[in-house]
Amino acid sequence: MSDLTNLTVAEIRDGVAAGTFSAREVATAFNAEVEVGRKLNAYIVETPEKALEAADVADAVRKSGDLKPLSGVPLGMKDLFCTEGVQSTAASHILEGFTPTYESTVSARLWDAGAGMLGKLNLDQFAMGSSNETSYFGNVVSPWRDASGKDLAPGGSSGGSSAAISARLCPAATGTDTGGSIRQPAAFTGISGIKPTYGRCSRWGIVAFASSLDQAGSMARTVKDNAILLEAMAGFDPKDATSLDAPVPQWEAGLSSDLKGKTVGIPKEYRPDGLNPEIEALWDKGIAWLKDAGAEVVEVSLPHTQYALPTYYIIAPAEASSNLARYDGVRYGLRDLPDGAGLQDMYAATRAAGFGDEVKRRIMIGTYVLSAGFYDAYYTQACKVRALIARDFEAAWEKCDLLLTPTAPSAAFALGEKQADPLAMYLNDVFTVPASLAGLPAMSVPGGLDSAGLPLGLQIIGKALDEQGVLNASLALEERAGFTARPEKWW
Ligand code: GLN
């Protein structure tokens, strides 16, 4: 079997179970691709032995019929998840060399389900960014290219995950999404990714960015693979106080692209003046595809949409400044102790050396908006607007079951293009942030290629806990988009 790395998660699982190929063959094939793909810089740490170890377990239990839901499936793990005995850095210098003595709940669930780990995937530092350029370990390069031949951004922050999946360096991976970090990189690289309802996946053992927004999710090439992965990842965890104590539905079994009886809303505020005409055209196609699947389509209004981005860029940095206070040179990773320095000097030197520029920017903004004199003007106000944004969605649900929007305002841009202007970078999140602020499940699926040959994504947003509805509408889009494009191998 030469093309094992082109198989989906479902195909690997079923092929291993049927004995068509062994799990070891699959892991070996992916381990080889991970090596070949080093030019993409998608992995910070490679763990080929872990992939083989899980594969051997799968092959050993196959005959006794004791296979688990992900037996024989090797995965990439975003390096925001703490993995026992394997360096976990959040792509930062301050956590370089940090080797957790514990396993995050989500990764533990995946290993318990039989999956193996190919390695730890690169990301924007502390998941702050939209292009992967803030990683201390260097940017990820998208496997996609346009005619300019320039290196393109794979999106962020889960850009190692998106690049690795689209380049076939893993069949699927974990991601995390605080304001769009699963959906935007998925859109940029022609793959799918779902951010479930806030609280579905435990945050325990995930390096915290903005705790009221952070949510783990899955990234893969098909909607079905996302359903399979998410089912293994989700579930109540008493170790996370915000974990939802709700049963995890059988999302894979519940997949259906028949949308009869469903109403899909098109939020008119997501069509700003100057929206890229190719994205607008794809959105219109998406509307036609959902109608074809049996859905009724109506226009809805989410009037506070324009405030979502500024609200997010107050709340997320505020929480980040608090969460990142723990990195002081005492407990984890880096310690910078200048000669003769006292404790305060050590804190300052460690943090100055250990955090990148974007992380420092967020800490400063966050500290400012939480400071005694400005707390009410910024943080309290942002929390109130967040409630209004959530209320917009509640009102929309009176008229529809799901929403369809573009995922991002552009296709992948060139590395370096937006680096000098943080505000231009933040605009990437304009369509993804509202669902994050409201804690709603949302998914990006590839809809087609633009005129430059780069992928564009469509986003489905659903009601809280209705991942099934989101997956099903996404499946209806996937079936009609027929997206089979993949990047040509140049690496
Ligand atoms: N791009 C957004 C940010 O920089 C979202 C990041 C994320 O979802 N982790 O904050």
Side-chain angles (χ1 to χ4, degrees), residues 78 80 124 126-131 156-158 176-184 209 213-214 312-313 316-317 358 362 425-426 428-429 432-433 436:
K78 184 176 183 179
L80 202 63
D124 277 300
F126 285 103
M128 298 172 188
S130 302
S131 65
S157 63
S158 312
T176 62
D177 192 312
T178 301
S181 276
I182 287 176
R183 294 162 282 162
Q184 182 257 19
F209 163 13
L213 296 155
D214 295 346
Y312 172 84
Y313 277 98
E358 182 61 28
R362 308 259 180 138
M425 193 66 91
Y426 296 170
N428 268 284
D429 308 322
T432 48
V433 145
S436 299

